[in-house]
Amino acid sequence: LFIYLMTLKIMKKIHVFLFFVLVTNIAFSQVYNYPCPYDNTIKDTLDFTNATVGASHSAIVWTGDYVWAIGMKASMTYGITTCIDPFNVRDNDSHISVYTHGGGQALDYNDDDCSNYQYHSTVIFNPPSDGDYDILFDEHTGVYCSHLHDPWDYFDYYIEILNSTDVIDNELGNPE
């Protein structure tokens, strides 16, 4: 009986400790793989309505900016990346999130998935339907999804239509 009571007492202490660890982790930890909130400011507008495979655009954006991509097609695959800093001089930790235009549910996101440069991001995006999408650019600087507004917190970004999944209908004549 004594051993049983001691075991219960120890188990209670372990449960209290585990509960404390769980609550502390939830309250004070940051999850580093989720979309950033839809709270950015428009920087560029790109029209993909008549774009074909291989079409691309590159420019710079600051943390907290977004690009409004008009006319993206569900039949196309888009590569969106900040992995193009040729000299790796900017060590900004980029984060890309893709939303339907105007907000709503995040459709895709990435933080630090670039084999070329540390801390840069790439998203391979297949729109669920034809329409307009917003591509958000944020940064992790100790605070996840932060918007630092100084002259050095910008990213080179590149967007390219990688391929098309359009089905070409080949009608075969029925032999008579």
Side-chain angles (χ1 to χ4, degrees), residues 4-175:
Y4 176 74
L5 292 175
M6 290 306 292
T7 304
L8 285 177
K9 189 173 185 180
I10 291 171
M11 293 300 289
K12 183 178 177 185
K13 287 182 180 184
I14 290 173
H15 283 120
V16 169
F17 173 75
L18 290 176
F19 178 76
F20 175 75
V21 169
L22 177 66
V23 169
T24 303
N25 283 339
I26 290 171
F28 298 108
S29 69
Q30 293 180 327
V31 177
Y32 295 120
N33 196 14
Y34 61 89
C36 289
Y38 189 87
D39 61 357
N40 294 29
T41 304
I42 190 164
K43 167 68 173 151
D44 286 328
T45 302
L46 302 176
D47 190 350
F48 288 97
T49 304
N50 297 313
T52 59
V53 173
S56 65
H57 177 79
S58 63
I60 61 171
V61 290
W62 277 261
T63 62
D65 287 345
Y66 78 87
V67 173
W68 177 10
I70 298 171
M72 286 184 141
K73 301 206 176 7
S75 61
M76 303 281 191
T77 301
Y78 301 82
I80 306 162
T81 187
T82 59
C83 299
I84 62 170
D85 181 2
F87 304 106
N88 199 23
V89 294
R90 283 181 302 285
D91 199 17
N92 302 4
D93 187 354
S94 68
H95 188 291
I96 301 170
S97 303
V98 182
Y99 284 83
T100 55
H101 179 63
Q105 180 180 1
L107 301 172
D108 210 341
Y109 57 91
N110 182 262
D111 180 29
D112 301 344
D113 189 17
C114 178
S115 60
N116 297 339
Y117 307 110
Q118 185 179 10
Y119 303 126
H120 294 272
S121 305
T122 296
V123 170
I124 305 301
F125 180 59
N126 296 95
S129 61
D130 292 358
D132 297 354
Y133 296 89
D134 293 335
I135 303 163
L136 284 61
F137 295 90
D138 292 288
E139 183 174 8
H140 175 72
T141 57
V143 176
Y144 201 62
C145 299
S146 63
H147 301 170
L148 297 177
H149 298 285
D150 70 49
W152 305 110
D153 283 312
Y154 64 91
F155 306 106
D156 297 298
Y157 77 91
Y158 180 78
I159 300 173
E160 180 179 355
I161 300 176
L162 301 176
N163 64 41
S164 173
T165 57
D166 277 339
V167 176
I168 299 171
D169 290 330
N170 292 324
E171 292 187 29
L172 299 174
N174 291 334

